[in-house]
Amino acid sequence: GAVVSQHPSRVICKSGTSVKIECRSLDFQATTMFWYRQFPKQSLMLMATSNEGSKATYEQGVEKDKFLINHASLTLSTLTVTSAHPEDSSFYICSASRPGHGYTFGSGTRLTVV
Amino acid sequence: AQSVTQLGSHVSVSEGALVLLRCNYSSSVPPYLFWYVQYPNQGLQLLLKYTSAATLVKGINGFEAEFKKSETSFHLTKPSAHMSDAAEYFCAVSLFGNEKLTFGTGTRLTIIP
């Protein structure tokens, strides 16, 4: 079946630094990738949608300059949290999709900013 | 715009009892509906999905859901709960099956031994 690899699974960084999270579709080409943020005991909130080779579409209220999304190939999308602050601490999950095949989720990244 | 509402943020059932998790949807067009399960600190695993074919959808781990247009519902059931079913369950909707997913608020299922 379709597999999406997300790395790292956990990361701790200092306030003010940047963190990059990778999302790879291992055995299929993902035309679209989605990035979600999940606060403890809450649902997933869509942050942005990205299509290969084009700029990401951010949801309302998401700072595009803080959460940089790159979808350089059909198998790789990255989310960079720039100048991270403690309030950015969260669980980030990516999802990859292709027409007719639904969605496949990564295993998530727990970001802690200290 | 489409949305889903999950009734009951917490559901507890005894091991071996029926599991029923409720989801109601709102959509201006025929929706694609999904149920996902999430274990702590993990991503989401697809249980089942409705894509306008059969209204009774069978998924993994003994789960099934029935699409009822008249009730705008897509409730998730399992005849006999197992301890391993304890997790967070999310109902979700999308327009065409590969557009963005909109999630419900989730239901935490606890299994009582």
Side-chain angles (χ1 to χ4, degrees):
Chain A
V3 177
V4 170
S5 175
Q6 185 174 343
H7 290 282
S9 58
R10 290 178 176 271
V11 58
I12 300 173
C13 70
K14 291 184 178 180
S15 186
T17 62
S18 296
V19 173
K20 180 182 285 188
I21 302 169
E22 288 192 352
C23 181
R24 292 180 184 272
S25 55
L26 297 184
D27 50 3
F28 68 100
Q29 294 185 323
T31 51
T32 307
M33 287 199 177
F34 306 89
W35 286 94
Y36 296 85
R37 182 174 181 176
Q38 185 179 30
F39 291 102
K41 302 186 187 303
Q42 294 189 28
S43 188
L44 283 74
M45 300 300 297
L46 180 65
M47 300 174 66
T49 302
S50 73
N51 294 291
E52 184 263 341
S54 61
K55 289 184 177 180
T57 301
Y58 290 81
E59 295 297 301
Q60 190 173 9
V62 177
E63 299 176 61
K64 60 179 67 177
D65 293 331
K66 173 175 246 331
F67 298 101
L68 300 179
I69 291 172
N70 183 281
H71 193 166
S73 76
L74 284 171
T75 59
L76 175 65
S77 177
T78 60
L79 167 67
T80 301
V81 183
T82 62
S83 187
H85 288 92
E87 58 266 30
D88 299 324
S89 298
S90 192
F91 194 58
Y92 294 88
I93 305 175
C94 69
S95 172
S97 78
R98 50 181 172 160
H101 293 269
Y103 312 84
T104 303
F105 286 82
S107 54
T109 297
R110 172 74 59 193
L111 170 63
T112 303
V113 184
V114 298
Chain B
Q2 62 275 20
S3 66
V4 288
T5 301
Q6 291 184 244
L7 298 176
S9 58
H10 289 85
V11 171
S12 295
V13 301
S14 297
E15 189 175 14
L18 171 72
V19 175
L20 171 60
L21 304 183
R22 300 177 186 275
C23 174
N24 288 88
Y25 70 90
S26 173
S27 178
S28 57
V29 298
Y32 286 72
L33 293 162
F34 305 79
W35 274 101
Y36 287 92
V37 62
Q38 184 182 35
Y39 296 97
N41 293 309
Q42 293 188 28
L44 274 67
Q45 181 182 14
L46 178 67
L47 285 175
L48 47 81
K49 61 181 177 183
Y50 168 76
T51 58
S52 75
T55 56
L56 182 62
V57 182
K58 294 188 182 297
I60 63 171
N61 301 339
F63 286 95
E64 64 180 38
E66 185 172 8
F67 174 76
K68 292 187 177 181
K69 185 177 179 180
S70 61
E71 299 177 8
T72 61
S73 68
F74 190 57
H75 301 332
L76 181 71
T77 60
K78 181 174 180 177
S80 178
H82 191 273
M83 294 301 294
S84 60
D85 295 327
E88 188 84 20
Y89 291 80
F90 292 98
C91 181
V93 63
S94 73
L95 276 182
F96 303 112
N98 64 331
E99 299 295 319
K100 65 180 183 180
L101 277 169
T102 300
F103 286 89
T105 50
T107 298
R108 182 169 299 276
L109 176 64
T110 300
I111 309 299
I112 303 167

